[in-house]
Amino acid sequence: MMTLPKEGRRSFLKTMAAASGGLLLGFNWSEAEAGQTDIASAVADSDFNSYLSISPTGTITILSPNPEVGQGIKTAFPIVVAEELDADWKNVVVEQAPLDTKKFERQVAGGSGSIPHSWQRLRVAGATARQMLIAAGAKRWNVPAVECSTSLGYVIHTATSRKLSYGELATEASQVPVPTDVKLKDPKDFKLIGQTIKNVDNPRIITGKPLFGLDFYREGMLFAMLQRPAFGYKLKSVDDKAAKAMSGIVDVVTFDNNVAIVGKSTWQVKKAKDALKIEWEKSDTLESTADHNRIFKELLDSPEATVRRKDGDVETAFKNAAKVVKAEYQCPFLPHNPLEPMNFFAHVREDGAELVGPTQTPELARNETAKLLKLSPDKVSVQMTRMGGGFGRRLKADYVVEAVQVSKLVKAPVKVIWTREDDMTGGSYRPAVRYRFEAALDQQGNMIGYKLRGVGINAGNPTREDNFPAGAVDNLLIDSVDHKSPITTGPWRAPITNFLAFAEQAFLDEVAQAAGKDPVQFRIELLDKAKQKPVGAIKYDLDRMKGVIQLAVEKSGWGKKKGPDGKLIPQGFSVYFSHRSYVAQVGEVVVKKGKPVIQKVYSAADCGIVINQSGARQQVAGCIVDGIGHAMYGNITFKDGVPEQKNFNEFRLIRLTEIPEVEVHFVDNGIEPTGLGEPSLPPAAAAVANAIFKATGKRLRNQPFTEQEVFKAIS
């Protein structure tokens, strides 16, 4: 039973029916409270920040405040409400809400945090409405409410075989006092949550209805493309005569070292952009990939490292070790490459600005716009479209600000569109990082010392010092050094851990081999030690991590599975904790014609209660394909500040024929959801690399794998 506070109920609005009839229930995302209102009050009042409505026809509508970036939030949110409401799913619809920081909080798509943040609030909203509908039905029948139940959008009085639809009761329910004690379902009674439910946007996606930013069109708007400088350059001069003379071109403007071409169609603007003659000049250090490799080596030996965590006496442990294992791992910069390149619509007026487009952080877009235009943020409106991928790139607002700048300069509504080349060379990359790991083993093969130095380029802290195996090793030192570069970086799906997990889990495999232990058993022993004799703070759940390991071992037949030839199939193991969730994976690799082929990946995830099996399995499989594909092929290199890969003919992606079978399993532990959009990506590369070692005897330490000499030698 959840009890809602009786005091200080400013979060509730007065009970009244909507003008057109029905029940409109406002609920507070920050306090998980609910209250009734009418449409007019809902729009005007600022105490509530979302609304569940039930119309007299039985349609149930919920505003979804969070950006939809492909993670399925527009489907998951209404599933949770419908579950507690006991609604018929076919009567549930969801609408994308605009940015409104007075009515909503955390309107962000990032960090795998939407469901964990909203889970309880959504449940209470549905349960509150359900209880009010029961009260309305009981009153009409003049029976005790305890004799009534609900199912598929009906209130039922079993004793007399009577039932009324939610639509029939909605107006009367709006007159019922908001309950202070709301009973939530026992998870064992869930009917919708945990089932396989299709994405609510599927019909519109399949039929090509306008959903995405690139689909948005406003009559009379102009189109714009920008030419941006490479890293370490600034604008010196522009010859735009030929471009301005081309058909459909309205203007060519410059700002912040950018040159913007504005015209009446995308194609006309692109052709004019190609006709520009621009001269750039050096403004900063011009870095090349060769420079980065040199910098990494220097930083790994730098005495100026920042200590992130230190437990025990590391120096003595290594001095007395029976065996020391060392290895280094490196990853390149990576672009985000969402299917839909950056784009945004802006209309700057004297009294404010209107923004429409795909953004993971609409509030940041609004605030940056308000700052630029010297406006109050409430003078800037932001409407979110569905995104054709984001992966962290759309957490930034640079492309939004570009649209605002151009609209301001040309005094017209403008939609800025990036080409694929713009998108791939425009920066905000996954940081390039190199790690040096060292492990000290005693005579029995126990890890008594552990050292990690992470060095990155604009990576901030490239370590996660409190992650496993911290707390399981008596003597541990984790430190880092960061190099500041003109090359811009930003969050990339599962920031930092997307490569750190590979490096850590590949290294632990090497340590297990040196200790003469099974890789899985080696990790289990560390977890058991951390539980029995923890060292320092442990900020991950030992039991949950052990649980996914055991599930992955069971489902994959770890170390026992044989192929058609009767031989053991080479398998690799990996486990990782990120974004509040735990994922263990087993990769299988076979050698065909001398080449390692990824055959299958088993994934065991503990993300708490799974809301939608369809969305959850797609998230896990998508993460695995993304993680493997970029580990195998992804690479951006630089020559004097200029990216050398500009489109997919030069930047290799995983292909359909290279995608392995993915088998997904979830730990059923009944805890509240803990996030799933990113946690399955970090362990994927190590599961595959460790399997490749098992199949070939060759260790892969740098990404992309296919460009390493050791991989080429295998092939």
Side-chain angles (χ1 to χ4, degrees):
M1 183 79 73
M2 171 171 286
T3 303
L4 301 183
K6 297 178 181 178
E7 303 295 331
R9 300 180 63 79
R10 289 187 65 253
S11 294
F12 287 85
L13 298 177
K14 292 181 179 179
T15 302
M16 60 182 70
S20 59
L23 170 65
L24 186 61
L25 193 67
F27 60 98
N28 191 303
W29 290 84
S30 60
E31 299 176 26
E33 294 185 4
Q36 299 144 288
T37 183
D38 66 318
I39 295 290
S41 297
V43 173
D45 195 274
S46 62
D47 286 347
F48 284 100
N49 49 36
S50 197
Y51 305 98
L52 159 66
S53 68
I54 304 174
S55 74
T57 63
T59 299
I60 300 161
T61 304
I62 182 171
L63 284 177
S64 181
N66 288 44
E68 174 57 69
V69 70
Q71 81 279 43
I73 208 68
K74 281 179 71 177
T75 304
F77 272 16
I79 287 174
V80 178
V81 176
E83 179 64 75
E84 291 291 351
L85 185 58
D86 256 351
D88 188 336
W89 178 247
K90 72 175 185 290
N91 293 328
V92 177
V93 297
V94 63
E95 297 176 359
Q96 178 68 59
L99 174 69
D100 192 331
T101 52
K102 294 180 179 179
K103 291 186 173 70
F104 305 98
E105 63 175 43
R106 202 191 179 280
Q107 283 187 273
V108 174
S112 301
S114 296
I115 290 295
H117 173 266
S118 304
W119 166 253
Q120 197 74 0
R121 296 156 175 83
L122 293 165
R123 292 187 70 191
V124 169
T128 300
R130 175 177 175 272
Q131 197 160 321
M132 293 166 68
L133 289 160
I134 287 176
K139 183 178 180 181
R140 185 186 289 196
W141 292 324
N142 195 27
V143 299
V146 293
E147 293 183 5
C148 299
S149 61
T150 57
S151 179
L152 291 174
Y154 285 89
V155 175
I156 302 167
H157 188 240
T158 305
T160 57
S161 300
R162 287 181 289 181
K163 67 178 183 178
L164 290 166
S165 72
Y166 287 177
E168 292 175 284
L169 290 170
T171 300
E172 292 166 66
S174 71
Q175 305 299 323
V176 174
V178 177
T180 57
D181 296 314
V182 179
K183 185 178 181 180
L184 301 180
K185 283 186 177 182
D186 188 312
K188 67 180 177 59
D189 297 323
F190 287 161
K191 298 173 184 176
L192 282 173
I193 291 175
Q195 300 304 308
T196 298
I197 297 174
K198 295 178 181 177
N199 189 302
V200 295
D201 277 342
N202 277 357
R204 282 172 285 183
I205 294 172
I206 293 169
T207 56
K209 296 294 190 299
L211 280 171
F212 301 92
L214 284 175
D215 295 326
F216 179 80
Y217 179 77
R218 174 72 55 77
E219 189 68 33
M221 77 178 188
L222 299 174
F223 295 85
M225 289 185 180
L226 275 68
Q227 187 65 58
R228 304 164 185 85
F231 304 102
Y233 291 87
K234 65 180 180 180
L235 182 64
K236 183 177 181 181
S237 65
V238 182
D239 182 350
D240 57 12
K241 293 179 182 177
K244 282 185 172 180
M246 296 178 72
S247 175
I249 299 306
V250 174
D251 203 352
V252 176
V253 296
T254 63
F255 61 92
D256 299 339
N257 286 320
N258 300 311
V259 183
I261 304 89
V262 186
K264 297 180 180 179
S265 76
T266 306
W267 182 244
Q268 289 173 322
V269 168
K270 185 183 183 304
K271 296 296 288 182
K273 178 185 174 185
D274 294 340
L276 287 173
K277 296 178 181 178
I278 302 176
E279 187 178 0
W280 308 97
E281 61 182 348
K282 179 180 175 181
S283 63
D284 204 334
T285 304
L286 304 182
E287 294 182 352
S288 299
T289 297
D291 299 317
H292 299 150
N293 293 333
R294 172 184 52 79
I295 289 168
F296 280 146
K297 292 178 181 178
E298 293 171 355
L299 295 183
L300 282 173
D301 296 321
S302 171
E304 302 300 323
T306 299
V307 175
R308 302 292 178 177
R309 177 165 174 161
K310 186 174 184 180
D311 297 327
D313 187 345
V314 179
E315 292 75 13
T316 300
F318 275 84
K319 180 180 178 181
N320 297 333
K323 184 182 291 185
V324 173
V325 183
K326 296 182 180 181
E328 294 183 12
Y329 302 81
Q330 184 172 319
C331 72
F333 291 96
L334 284 180
H336 296 78
N337 286 337
L339 185 61
E340 177 189 28
M342 301 303 106
N343 66 92
F344 227 81
F345 168 86
H347 186 190
V348 176
R349 309 178 306 271
E350 288 187 6
D351 61 340
E354 177 191 11
L355 306 177
V356 183
T359 172
Q360 293 178 247
T361 51
E363 186 176 1
L364 177 65
R366 183 186 69 175
N367 291 345
E368 290 294 307
T369 298
K371 181 180 177 181
L372 173 69
L373 300 177
K374 295 181 173 55
L375 292 172
S376 170
D378 60 11
K379 298 295 184 182
V380 180
S381 67
V382 183
Q383 179 62 52
M384 292 164 273
T385 62
R386 187 181 177 94
M387 283 171 269
F391 313 114
R393 179 61 183 89
R394 289 185 162 101
L395 289 169
K396 290 194 172 184
D398 54 318
Y399 59 102
V400 181
V401 173
E402 287 179 349
V404 174
Q405 289 269 42
V406 177
S407 176
K408 178 185 176 184
L409 289 169
V410 301
K411 295 180 171 53
V414 171
K415 182 176 181 179
V416 164
I417 297 177
W418 291 35
T419 64
R420 176 58 60 193
E421 289 80 4
D422 295 333
D423 213 52
M424 198 172 290
T425 62
S428 193
Y429 300 113
R430 191 268 304 267
V433 176
R434 189 173 180 91
Y435 295 109
R436 175 184 288 163
F437 288 85
E438 300 177 60
L441 300 175
D442 64 14
Q443 292 287 356
Q444 289 73 44
N446 299 310
M447 188 162 67
I448 58 173
Y450 181 89
K451 290 196 288 187
L452 164 61
R453 170 164 290 189
V455 299
I457 299 174
N458 290 346
N461 175 13
T463 74
R464 292 294 180 264
E465 60 272 12
D466 293 320
N467 276 11
F468 179 80
V473 186
D474 291 331
N475 308 286
L476 174 144
L477 174 63
I478 297 176
D479 59 19
S480 68
V481 189
D482 194 41
H483 168 72
K484 300 303 179 185
S485 167
I487 298 171
T488 58
T489 61
W492 192 96
R493 196 174 192 178
I496 299 300
T497 61
N498 55 61
F499 180 70
L500 174 59
F502 158 72
E504 172 202 289
Q505 290 293 304
F507 178 68
L508 288 179
D509 235 52
E510 296 198 41
V511 179
Q513 181 191 16
K517 297 180 179 181
D518 173 79
V520 170
Q521 188 56 39
F522 181 72
R523 291 166 173 84
I524 292 289
E525 288 177 3
L526 286 170
L527 291 171
D528 288 343
K529 182 181 183 303
K531 188 156 192 176
Q532 295 160 9
K533 295 181 179 180
V535 182
I538 295 181
K539 298 185 179 180
Y540 52 95
D541 191 309
L542 298 165
D543 293 330
R544 290 181 71 190
M545 182 170 276
K546 193 170 181 179
V548 293
I549 292 175
Q550 292 168 338
L551 183 59
V553 165
E554 173 196 342
K555 297 300 182 181
S556 67
W558 172 258
K560 300 175 183 177
K561 187 176 178 182
K562 296 182 179 179
D565 58 1
K567 296 180 180 179
L568 288 175
I569 295 176
Q571 294 179 314
F573 182 82
S574 179
V575 62
Y576 207 71
F577 158 65
S578 68
H579 296 86
R580 300 169 295 275
S581 294
Y582 299 78
V583 181
Q585 293 173 356
V586 174
E588 293 183 349
V589 167
V590 295
V591 178
K592 295 182 179 180
K593 298 181 180 179
K595 179 181 179 182
V597 177
I598 307 166
Q599 182 171 270
K600 187 170 184 175
V601 175
Y602 294 87
S603 183
D606 178 355
C607 58
I609 293 170
V610 174
I611 293 173
N612 182 6
Q613 286 284 339
S614 174
R617 291 177 183 278
Q618 290 177 48
Q619 284 294 301
V620 173
C623 278
I624 290 171
V625 172
D626 207 10
I628 292 173
H630 282 92
M632 291 288 291
Y633 308 108
N635 192 13
I636 282 281
T637 58
F638 296 86
K639 180 64 177 176
D640 295 330
V642 180
E644 294 185 294
Q645 294 76 27
K646 297 177 174 59
N647 209 319
F648 292 129
N649 62 318
E650 299 167 318
F651 185 92
R652 176 81 149 83
L653 293 176
I654 192 169
R655 294 166 183 164
L656 287 174
T657 56
E658 296 162 341
I659 295 175
E661 178 186 353
V662 176
E663 185 173 312
V664 181
H665 300 274
F666 295 104
V667 174
D668 184 9
N669 54 18
I671 69 172
E672 294 189 359
T674 55
L676 194 57
E678 293 162 285
S680 296
L681 186 148
V688 167
N690 292 338
I692 290 174
F693 169 75
K694 201 71 174 286
T696 66
K698 303 294 184 182
R699 290 285 183 190
L700 295 169
R701 297 192 178 100
N702 298 334
Q703 294 181 6
F705 297 157
T706 54
E707 294 186 18
Q708 307 312 308
E709 291 303 320
V710 64
F711 190 90
K712 294 176 182 178
I714 296 171
S715 302

